[in-house]
Coordinates of all heavy atoms in Angstrom, one line a residue:
K167 N 107.9 66.1 96.8 CA 107.6 66.8 95.5 C 106.3 66.3 94.9 O 105.8 67.0 94.0 CB 108.8 66.6 94.6 CG 109.8 67.7 94.6 CD 110.7 67.7 93.4 CE 110.1 68.4 92.3 NZ 111.0 68.6 91.1
D168 N 105.8 65.1 95.3 CA 104.7 64.5 94.6 C 103.4 64.6 95.5 O 103.4 64.0 96.6 CB 105.1 63.0 94.3 CG 104.0 62.3 93.5 OD1 102.9 63.0 93.3 OD2 104.2 61.2 93.2
F169 N 102.4 65.2 95.0 CA 101.2 65.4 95.8 C 100.6 64.1 96.2 O 99.9 63.9 97.3 CB 100.2 66.3 95.1 CG 98.9 66.5 95.9 CD1 98.9 67.2 97.1 CD2 97.7 65.9 95.6 CE1 97.8 67.3 97.9 CE2 96.6 66.0 96.3 CZ 96.6 66.7 97.5
S170 N 100.7 63.0 95.4 CA 100.1 61.8 95.7 C 100.6 61.1 97.0 O 99.9 60.4 97.7 CB 100.1 60.8 94.5 OG 101.5 60.6 94.1
T171 N 101.8 61.5 97.4 CA 102.3 61.0 98.7 C 101.4 61.5 99.8 O 101.1 60.8 100.8 CB 103.8 61.6 99.0 OG1 104.6 61.3 97.9 CG2 104.4 61.0 100.3
I172 N 101.0 62.8 99.7 CA 100.1 63.4 100.7 C 98.7 62.8 100.6 O 98.0 62.4 101.5 CB 100.1 64.9 100.6 CG1 101.5 65.4 100.9 CG2 99.1 65.6 101.4 CD1 101.8 66.9 100.5
E173 N 98.2 62.8 99.3 CA 96.9 62.4 99.0 C 96.6 61.0 99.5 O 95.5 60.7 100.1 CB 96.7 62.4 97.5 CG 95.3 62.1 97.0 CD 95.3 62.1 95.4 OE1 96.4 62.1 94.8 OE2 94.2 62.2 94.9
H174 N 97.6 60.1 99.4 CA 97.3 58.7 99.7 C 97.8 58.3 101.1 O 97.8 57.2 101.5 CB 98.0 57.8 98.7 CG 97.4 58.0 97.3 ND1 96.0 57.9 97.1 CD2 98.0 58.4 96.1 CE1 95.8 58.2 95.8 NE2 97.0 58.5 95.2
D175 N 98.3 59.3 101.9 CA 98.7 59.0 103.3 C 97.5 59.2 104.2 O 97.0 60.3 104.5 CB 99.8 60.0 103.7 CG 100.3 59.6 105.1 OD1 99.6 58.9 105.8 OD2 101.4 60.1 105.4
P176 N 97.0 58.1 104.7 CA 95.8 58.2 105.6 C 96.0 58.9 106.9 O 95.0 59.3 107.5 CB 95.4 56.7 105.8 CG 96.7 55.9 105.6 CD 97.5 56.7 104.6
E177 N 97.2 59.1 107.2 CA 97.5 59.9 108.5 C 97.3 61.4 108.3 O 97.2 62.1 109.3 CB 99.0 59.6 108.9 CG 99.2 58.2 109.4 CD 100.6 58.1 110.1 OE1 101.3 59.1 110.1 OE2 100.8 57.0 110.7
V178 N 97.4 61.9 107.1 CA 97.2 63.3 106.9 C 95.8 63.7 107.0 O 94.9 63.3 106.2 CB 97.8 63.8 105.5 CG1 97.5 65.3 105.3 CG2 99.3 63.5 105.4
G179 N 95.5 64.6 108.0 CA 94.1 65.0 108.2 C 93.8 66.4 107.6 O 92.7 66.7 107.3
I180 N 94.8 67.3 107.6 CA 94.6 68.7 107.1 C 95.7 69.1 106.1 O 96.9 68.9 106.4 CB 94.6 69.6 108.3 CG1 93.5 69.2 109.3 CG2 94.4 71.1 107.8 CD1 93.6 70.0 110.7
V181 N 95.3 69.6 105.0 CA 96.2 70.1 103.9 C 96.1 71.6 103.9 O 95.0 72.1 103.9 CB 95.8 69.5 102.6 CG1 96.6 70.1 101.4 CG2 96.0 68.0 102.6
V182 N 97.2 72.3 104.0 CA 97.3 73.7 103.9 C 97.8 74.1 102.5 O 98.9 73.8 102.2 CB 98.3 74.3 105.0 CG1 98.4 75.8 104.9 CG2 97.8 73.9 106.4
E183 N 96.9 74.8 101.8 CA 97.3 75.1 100.4 C 97.8 76.6 100.4 O 97.0 77.5 100.5 CB 96.1 74.9 99.4 CG 96.4 75.2 98.0 CD 96.2 76.6 97.6 OE1 95.0 77.1 97.7 OE2 97.2 77.3 97.2
T184 N 99.1 76.8 100.1 CA 99.6 78.1 100.0 C 100.4 78.3 98.7 O 101.5 78.9 98.7 CB 100.5 78.5 101.3 OG1 101.5 77.5 101.4 CG2 99.7 78.5 102.5
I185 N 99.9 77.7 97.7 CA 100.6 77.7 96.4 C 100.1 79.0 95.6 O 100.9 79.7 95.1 CB 100.2 76.5 95.5 CG1 100.9 75.2 96.1 CG2 100.7 76.7 94.1 CD1 100.5 73.9 95.4
G186 N 98.8 79.2 95.7 CA 98.2 80.4 95.0 C 97.7 80.0 93.6 O 98.1 78.9 93.1
G187 N 96.8 80.8 93.0 CA 96.3 80.6 91.6 C 95.3 79.5 91.6 O 94.8 79.0 92.6
V188 N 94.9 79.2 90.4 CA 93.8 78.2 90.2 C 94.2 77.0 89.4 O 93.4 76.2 89.0 CB 92.5 78.8 89.5 CG1 91.8 79.8 90.4 CG2 92.9 79.5 88.2
G189 N 95.5 76.8 89.2 CA 96.0 75.6 88.4 C 96.2 74.5 89.4 O 95.2 73.8 89.7
A190 N 97.4 74.3 89.8 CA 97.8 73.1 90.7 C 96.9 73.3 92.0 O 96.5 72.2 92.5 CB 99.2 73.2 91.0
A191 N 96.7 74.5 92.5 CA 96.0 74.6 93.7 C 94.6 74.0 93.7 O 94.1 73.4 94.6 CB 95.9 76.1 94.1
L192 N 93.9 74.3 92.6 CA 92.5 73.7 92.4 C 92.6 72.2 92.4 O 91.8 71.5 93.0 CB 91.9 74.3 91.2 CG 90.5 73.7 90.8 CD1 89.5 73.9 92.0 CD2 89.9 74.3 89.5
D193 N 93.5 71.7 91.6 CA 93.7 70.2 91.5 C 93.9 69.6 92.8 O 93.2 68.6 93.2 CB 94.8 69.9 90.5 CG 95.1 68.5 90.3 OD1 94.2 67.7 90.4 OD2 96.3 68.1 90.0
Y194 N 94.9 70.1 93.6 CA 95.3 69.5 94.8 C 94.2 69.7 95.9 O 93.9 68.8 96.7 CB 96.6 70.1 95.4 CG 97.8 69.9 94.5 CD1 98.9 70.8 94.5 CD2 97.8 68.8 93.6 CE1 100.0 70.6 93.6 CE2 98.9 68.7 92.7 CZ 100.0 69.5 92.7 OH 101.1 69.4 91.9
T195 N 93.5 70.8 95.9 CA 92.4 71.0 96.8 C 91.3 70.0 96.6 O 90.8 69.4 97.5 CB 91.9 72.5 96.7 OG1 93.0 73.4 97.0 CG2 90.8 72.8 97.7
T196 N 90.9 69.9 95.3 CA 89.9 69.0 95.0 C 90.2 67.5 95.4 O 89.4 66.8 96.0 CB 89.6 69.0 93.4 OG1 89.4 70.4 93.1 CG2 88.5 68.2 93.0
R197 N 91.5 67.1 95.1 CA 91.9 65.8 95.4 C 92.0 65.6 97.0 O 91.6 64.5 97.5 CB 93.2 65.5 94.8 CG 93.0 65.2 93.3 CD 94.3 65.3 92.5 NE 95.4 64.4 92.9 CZ 96.6 64.4 92.4 NH1 96.9 65.3 91.5 NH2 97.5 63.5 92.8
A198 N 92.4 66.6 97.7 CA 92.5 66.5 99.1 C 91.1 66.3 99.8 O 90.9 65.5 100.6 CB 93.2 67.7 99.7
L199 N 90.2 67.2 99.3 CA 88.8 67.1 99.9 C 88.2 65.7 99.6 O 87.6 65.1 100.4 CB 88.0 68.2 99.3 CG 88.3 69.7 99.7 CD1 87.5 70.7 98.9 CD2 88.2 69.9 101.2
K200 N 88.4 65.3 98.3 CA 87.8 63.9 97.9 C 88.5 62.8 98.7 O 87.9 61.8 99.0 CB 88.0 63.7 96.4 CG 87.1 64.5 95.6 CD 87.3 64.2 94.1 CE 86.2 64.9 93.3 NZ 86.5 64.8 91.8
A201 N 89.7 63.0 99.2 CA 90.4 62.0 100.0 C 90.0 62.1 101.4 O 90.6 61.4 102.3 CB 91.9 62.1 99.8
G202 N 89.1 63.0 101.8 CA 88.6 63.1 103.1 C 89.5 63.9 104.0 O 89.5 63.8 105.3
K203 N 90.3 64.8 103.4 CA 91.1 65.7 104.2 C 90.6 67.1 104.2 O 90.1 67.6 103.2 CB 92.6 65.7 103.7 CG 93.2 64.3 103.6 CD 94.5 64.3 102.9 CE 94.9 62.9 102.5 NZ 94.9 61.9 103.5
S204 N 90.6 67.8 105.4 CA 90.2 69.2 105.4 C 91.3 70.0 104.7 O 92.5 69.6 104.7 CB 90.1 69.7 106.9 OG 88.9 69.1 107.4
V205 N 90.9 71.2 104.1 CA 91.8 72.0 103.5 C 91.7 73.4 104.0 O 90.6 74.0 104.2 CB 91.6 72.1 101.9 CG1 92.5 73.1 101.2 CG2 91.8 70.7 101.3
V206 N 92.8 74.0 104.3 CA 92.9 75.4 104.8 C 93.7 76.2 103.8 O 94.8 75.7 103.3 CB 93.6 75.5 106.2 CG1 93.9 76.9 106.6 CG2 92.8 74.8 107.2
T207 N 93.3 77.4 103.4 CA 94.0 78.1 102.4 C 94.0 79.6 102.7 O 93.2 80.2 103.4 CB 93.5 77.9 101.0 OG1 94.3 78.4 100.0 CG2 92.1 78.5 100.8
A208 N 95.0 80.3 102.0 CA 95.1 81.8 102.0 C 94.8 82.3 100.5 O 94.9 83.5 100.2 CB 96.5 82.3 102.4
N209 N 94.3 81.3 99.7 CA 94.3 81.6 98.2 C 92.9 82.2 97.8 O 91.9 81.5 97.5 CB 94.5 80.3 97.5 CG 94.6 80.4 96.0 OD1 94.1 81.4 95.4 ND2 95.1 79.3 95.4
K210 N 92.9 83.5 97.8 CA 91.6 84.2 97.5 C 91.1 84.0 96.1 O 89.9 84.0 95.8 CB 91.6 85.7 97.9 CG 92.8 86.5 97.3 CD 93.9 86.5 98.4 CE 95.2 87.0 97.8 NZ 96.1 87.6 98.7

Side-chain angles (χ1 to χ4, degrees):
K167 267 197 83 174
D168 184 357
F169 180 67
S170 53
T171 308
I172 294 165
E173 182 182 18
H174 298 305
D175 183 340
E177 289 193 353
V178 174
I180 302 170
V181 171
V182 177
E183 184 271 299
T184 56
I185 293 174
V188 290
L192 175 60
D193 178 30
Y194 300 153
T195 300
T196 305
R197 284 162 61 186
L199 294 172
K200 284 184 174 168
K203 303 174 194 309
S204 286
V205 176
V206 170
T207 190
N209 186 341
K210 50 265 165 155

